[in-house]
Short mmCIF file of all heavy atoms in Angstrom, two decimals:
data_model
loop_
_atom_site.label_atom_id
_atom_site.label_comp_id
_atom_site.label_asym_id
_atom_site.label_seq_id
_atom_site.Cartn_x
_atom_site.Cartn_y
_atom_site.Cartn_z
N ALA O 48 10.62 49.57 -29.39
CA ALA O 48 11.17 48.29 -28.88
C ALA O 48 12.29 47.78 -29.77
O ALA O 48 12.25 47.89 -31.00
CB ALA O 48 10.06 47.25 -28.80
N SER O 49 13.31 47.24 -29.10
CA SER O 49 14.36 46.48 -29.78
C SER O 49 14.45 45.11 -29.13
O SER O 49 14.26 44.99 -27.91
CB SER O 49 15.72 47.18 -29.66
OG SER O 49 15.70 48.42 -30.32
N VAL O 50 14.72 44.11 -29.92
CA VAL O 50 14.84 42.74 -29.39
C VAL O 50 16.22 42.21 -29.74
O VAL O 50 16.65 42.29 -30.90
CB VAL O 50 13.74 41.83 -29.97
CG1 VAL O 50 13.89 40.40 -29.42
CG2 VAL O 50 12.36 42.38 -29.62
N TRP O 51 16.91 41.71 -28.73
CA TRP O 51 18.26 41.16 -28.89
C TRP O 51 18.25 39.69 -28.50
O TRP O 51 17.57 39.29 -27.55
CB TRP O 51 19.25 41.88 -27.97
CG TRP O 51 19.43 43.34 -28.21
CD1 TRP O 51 18.49 44.32 -28.01
CD2 TRP O 51 20.61 44.00 -28.68
NE1 TRP O 51 19.01 45.54 -28.31
CE2 TRP O 51 20.32 45.38 -28.73
CE3 TRP O 51 21.87 43.56 -29.05
CZ2 TRP O 51 21.25 46.33 -29.13
CZ3 TRP O 51 22.82 44.50 -29.46
CH2 TRP O 51 22.50 45.87 -29.51
N THR O 52 19.02 38.90 -29.21
CA THR O 52 19.10 37.49 -28.84
C THR O 52 20.41 36.88 -29.29
O THR O 52 21.09 37.41 -30.18
CB THR O 52 17.94 36.67 -29.43
OG1 THR O 52 17.98 35.34 -28.91
CG2 THR O 52 18.02 36.63 -30.95
N ASP O 53 20.78 35.77 -28.68
CA ASP O 53 21.92 34.96 -29.09
C ASP O 53 21.39 33.54 -29.20
O ASP O 53 21.48 32.76 -28.25
CB ASP O 53 23.04 35.05 -28.05
CG ASP O 53 24.25 34.22 -28.45
OD1 ASP O 53 24.39 33.91 -29.64
OD2 ASP O 53 25.06 33.88 -27.56
N PRO O 54 20.79 33.21 -30.33
CA PRO O 54 20.02 31.96 -30.44
C PRO O 54 20.87 30.72 -30.62
O PRO O 54 21.06 30.25 -31.73
CB PRO O 54 19.13 32.23 -31.66
CG PRO O 54 19.96 33.13 -32.52
CD PRO O 54 20.80 33.97 -31.58
N GLU O 55 21.39 30.21 -29.54
CA GLU O 55 22.17 28.98 -29.61
C GLU O 55 21.24 27.79 -29.41
O GLU O 55 20.30 27.86 -28.63
CB GLU O 55 23.25 28.97 -28.52
CG GLU O 55 24.33 30.02 -28.75
CD GLU O 55 25.43 29.92 -27.72
OE1 GLU O 55 25.24 29.23 -26.71
OE2 GLU O 55 26.49 30.54 -27.95
N VAL O 56 21.56 26.70 -30.08
CA VAL O 56 20.80 25.48 -29.88
C VAL O 56 20.97 25.05 -28.42
O VAL O 56 22.07 25.03 -27.89
CB VAL O 56 21.28 24.35 -30.82
CG1 VAL O 56 20.64 23.03 -30.46
CG2 VAL O 56 20.98 24.73 -32.26
N GLY O 57 19.86 24.71 -27.80
CA GLY O 57 19.86 24.43 -26.36
C GLY O 57 19.08 25.52 -25.66
O GLY O 57 17.96 25.31 -25.22
N SER O 58 19.67 26.69 -25.61
CA SER O 58 18.96 27.81 -25.02
C SER O 58 19.53 29.11 -25.56
O SER O 58 20.69 29.15 -26.00
CB SER O 58 19.07 27.80 -23.50
OG SER O 58 20.40 28.05 -23.11
N GLY O 59 18.73 30.13 -25.50
CA GLY O 59 19.20 31.43 -25.95
C GLY O 59 18.52 32.53 -25.15
O GLY O 59 17.32 32.47 -24.89
N PRO O 60 19.30 33.53 -24.72
CA PRO O 60 18.69 34.65 -24.00
C PRO O 60 17.91 35.53 -24.98
O PRO O 60 18.28 35.65 -26.15
CB PRO O 60 19.91 35.40 -23.45
CG PRO O 60 21.00 35.10 -24.43
CD PRO O 60 20.74 33.70 -24.93
N MET O 61 16.86 36.10 -24.49
CA MET O 61 16.03 36.99 -25.31
C MET O 61 15.81 38.28 -24.52
O MET O 61 15.31 38.23 -23.39
CB MET O 61 14.70 36.30 -25.60
CG MET O 61 13.93 36.83 -26.77
SD MET O 61 14.68 36.46 -28.38
CE MET O 61 14.35 34.71 -28.55
N TYR O 62 16.23 39.39 -25.06
CA TYR O 62 16.10 40.68 -24.38
C TYR O 62 15.13 41.56 -25.16
O TYR O 62 15.26 41.71 -26.38
CB TYR O 62 17.45 41.39 -24.30
CG TYR O 62 18.50 40.65 -23.51
CD1 TYR O 62 19.37 39.78 -24.14
CD2 TYR O 62 18.60 40.82 -22.14
CE1 TYR O 62 20.34 39.10 -23.43
CE2 TYR O 62 19.56 40.14 -21.41
CZ TYR O 62 20.43 39.29 -22.06
OH TYR O 62 21.38 38.62 -21.34
N VAL O 63 14.19 42.16 -24.44
CA VAL O 63 13.27 43.13 -25.04
C VAL O 63 13.56 44.47 -24.38
O VAL O 63 13.37 44.63 -23.17
CB VAL O 63 11.80 42.72 -24.82
CG1 VAL O 63 10.86 43.75 -25.47
CG2 VAL O 63 11.54 41.32 -25.39
N VAL O 64 14.07 45.40 -25.17
CA VAL O 64 14.46 46.72 -24.65
C VAL O 64 13.42 47.73 -25.08
O VAL O 64 13.12 47.86 -26.28
CB VAL O 64 15.86 47.12 -25.17
CG1 VAL O 64 16.26 48.49 -24.63
CG2 VAL O 64 16.89 46.06 -24.77
N LEU O 65 12.84 48.43 -24.11
CA LEU O 65 11.75 49.38 -24.40
C LEU O 65 12.15 50.79 -24.00
O LEU O 65 12.74 51.01 -22.94
CB LEU O 65 10.49 48.98 -23.63
CG LEU O 65 9.93 47.58 -23.90
CD1 LEU O 65 8.76 47.28 -22.97
CD2 LEU O 65 9.49 47.45 -25.36
N GLU O 66 11.79 51.73 -24.86
CA GLU O 66 11.94 53.15 -24.53
C GLU O 66 10.64 53.84 -24.90
O GLU O 66 9.83 53.31 -25.67
CB GLU O 66 13.12 53.76 -25.31
CG GLU O 66 14.47 53.22 -24.86
CD GLU O 66 15.63 53.91 -25.57
OE1 GLU O 66 15.37 54.78 -26.43
OE2 GLU O 66 16.78 53.57 -25.27
N ALA O 67 10.46 55.04 -24.35
CA ALA O 67 9.24 55.79 -24.66
C ALA O 67 9.29 56.28 -26.11
O ALA O 67 10.33 56.73 -26.59
CB ALA O 67 9.10 56.96 -23.71
N ALA O 68 8.17 56.15 -26.80
CA ALA O 68 8.09 56.72 -28.15
C ALA O 68 8.08 58.24 -28.03
O ALA O 68 7.82 58.79 -26.95
CB ALA O 68 6.82 56.23 -28.83
N ASP O 69 8.39 58.93 -29.12
CA ASP O 69 8.45 60.39 -29.09
C ASP O 69 7.17 60.99 -28.54
O ASP O 69 6.06 60.64 -28.96
CB ASP O 69 8.68 60.92 -30.51
CG ASP O 69 10.10 60.66 -30.96
OD1 ASP O 69 10.96 60.40 -30.09
OD2 ASP O 69 10.35 60.67 -32.18
N GLY O 70 7.32 61.90 -27.60
CA GLY O 70 6.17 62.59 -27.04
C GLY O 70 5.40 61.79 -26.02
O GLY O 70 4.38 62.26 -25.50
N GLN O 71 5.85 60.60 -25.74
CA GLN O 71 5.14 59.74 -24.78
C GLN O 71 5.88 59.73 -23.43
O GLN O 71 7.10 59.85 -23.38
CB GLN O 71 5.07 58.30 -25.30
CG GLN O 71 4.41 58.14 -26.65
CD GLN O 71 2.91 58.19 -26.58
OE1 GLN O 71 2.32 57.81 -25.56
NE2 GLN O 71 2.27 58.69 -27.63
N THR O 72 5.10 59.61 -22.38
CA THR O 72 5.69 59.40 -21.07
C THR O 72 5.88 57.91 -20.88
O THR O 72 4.99 57.12 -21.20
CB THR O 72 4.78 59.94 -19.95
OG1 THR O 72 4.53 61.33 -20.21
CG2 THR O 72 5.42 59.77 -18.58
N PHE O 73 7.06 57.52 -20.37
CA PHE O 73 7.33 56.09 -20.25
C PHE O 73 6.60 55.50 -19.04
O PHE O 73 6.82 55.92 -17.90
CB PHE O 73 8.82 55.81 -20.13
CG PHE O 73 9.14 54.34 -20.17
CD1 PHE O 73 9.22 53.68 -21.38
CD2 PHE O 73 9.30 53.60 -19.00
CE1 PHE O 73 9.48 52.32 -21.44
CE2 PHE O 73 9.55 52.25 -19.04
CZ PHE O 73 9.65 51.61 -20.26
N THR O 74 5.76 54.57 -19.31
CA THR O 74 5.10 53.79 -18.26
C THR O 74 5.46 52.33 -18.48
O THR O 74 5.17 51.80 -19.57
CB THR O 74 3.57 53.94 -18.33
OG1 THR O 74 3.24 55.33 -18.29
CG2 THR O 74 2.90 53.22 -17.17
N PRO O 75 6.11 51.71 -17.54
CA PRO O 75 6.53 50.32 -17.77
C PRO O 75 5.34 49.42 -18.06
O PRO O 75 4.27 49.57 -17.45
CB PRO O 75 7.21 49.92 -16.45
CG PRO O 75 7.52 51.21 -15.77
CD PRO O 75 6.48 52.20 -16.20
N PRO O 76 5.51 48.47 -18.97
CA PRO O 76 4.42 47.52 -19.23
C PRO O 76 4.27 46.57 -18.06
O PRO O 76 5.21 46.35 -17.29
CB PRO O 76 4.89 46.79 -20.49
CG PRO O 76 6.38 46.88 -20.43
CD PRO O 76 6.69 48.20 -19.79
N SER O 77 3.10 46.03 -17.92
CA SER O 77 2.89 45.09 -16.81
C SER O 77 3.36 43.69 -17.18
O SER O 77 3.68 42.89 -16.29
CB SER O 77 1.40 45.06 -16.44
OG SER O 77 0.63 44.73 -17.58
N ALA O 78 3.41 43.38 -18.46
CA ALA O 78 3.85 42.03 -18.85
C ALA O 78 4.50 42.06 -20.23
O ALA O 78 4.01 42.74 -21.14
CB ALA O 78 2.67 41.07 -18.86
N VAL O 79 5.59 41.35 -20.33
CA VAL O 79 6.23 41.14 -21.64
C VAL O 79 6.42 39.64 -21.79
O VAL O 79 6.98 38.98 -20.90
CB VAL O 79 7.59 41.87 -21.72
CG1 VAL O 79 8.32 41.49 -23.01
CG2 VAL O 79 7.39 43.38 -21.66
N ARG O 80 5.93 39.10 -22.88
CA ARG O 80 6.07 37.67 -23.12
C ARG O 80 6.70 37.43 -24.49
O ARG O 80 6.54 38.24 -25.41
CB ARG O 80 4.71 36.97 -23.02
CG ARG O 80 4.15 36.98 -21.60
CD ARG O 80 2.80 36.31 -21.53
NE ARG O 80 1.82 37.02 -22.33
CZ ARG O 80 0.69 36.47 -22.78
NH1 ARG O 80 0.41 35.21 -22.52
NH2 ARG O 80 -0.15 37.17 -23.50
N VAL O 81 7.41 36.34 -24.59
CA VAL O 81 8.08 35.99 -25.84
C VAL O 81 7.62 34.60 -26.26
O VAL O 81 7.76 33.64 -25.49
CB VAL O 81 9.62 36.01 -25.68
CG1 VAL O 81 10.29 35.54 -26.97
CG2 VAL O 81 10.10 37.39 -25.29
N GLY O 82 7.07 34.49 -27.45
CA GLY O 82 6.63 33.20 -27.97
C GLY O 82 7.52 32.75 -29.10
O GLY O 82 7.89 33.55 -29.96
N ILE O 83 7.92 31.48 -29.08
CA ILE O 83 8.73 30.96 -30.19
C ILE O 83 8.15 29.63 -30.68
O ILE O 83 7.58 28.86 -29.90
CB ILE O 83 10.21 30.75 -29.79
CG1 ILE O 83 10.34 29.73 -28.65
CG2 ILE O 83 10.89 32.05 -29.43
CD1 ILE O 83 11.71 29.10 -28.60
N ALA O 84 8.31 29.42 -31.96
CA ALA O 84 7.88 28.16 -32.58
C ALA O 84 8.69 27.95 -33.84
O ALA O 84 9.06 28.92 -34.51
CB ALA O 84 6.39 28.24 -32.91
N PRO O 85 8.99 26.70 -34.17
CA PRO O 85 9.72 26.46 -35.43
C PRO O 85 8.89 26.92 -36.62
O PRO O 85 7.66 26.73 -36.63
CB PRO O 85 9.90 24.94 -35.45
CG PRO O 85 9.57 24.46 -34.09
CD PRO O 85 8.67 25.45 -33.46
N VAL O 86 9.56 27.52 -37.59
CA VAL O 86 8.85 27.96 -38.80
C VAL O 86 8.21 26.76 -39.49
O VAL O 86 7.14 26.88 -40.09
CB VAL O 86 9.85 28.69 -39.74
CG1 VAL O 86 9.22 28.94 -41.10
CG2 VAL O 86 10.30 30.00 -39.12
N SER O 87 8.85 25.61 -39.36
CA SER O 87 8.33 24.40 -40.01
C SER O 87 6.98 23.96 -39.45
O SER O 87 6.27 23.19 -40.09
CB SER O 87 9.34 23.26 -39.83
OG SER O 87 9.46 22.93 -38.46
#
Side-chain angles (χ1 to χ4, degrees):
Chain O
S49 295
V50 179
W51 298 68
T52 187
D53 180 20
E55 293 184 346
V56 171
S58 68
M61 200 70 73
Y62 298 92
V63 180
V64 180
L65 301 175
E66 292 184 358
D69 287 342
Q71 303 282 330
T72 303
F73 187 81
T74 305
S77 56
V79 173
R80 292 179 297 159
V81 176
I83 61 158
V86 170
S87 65

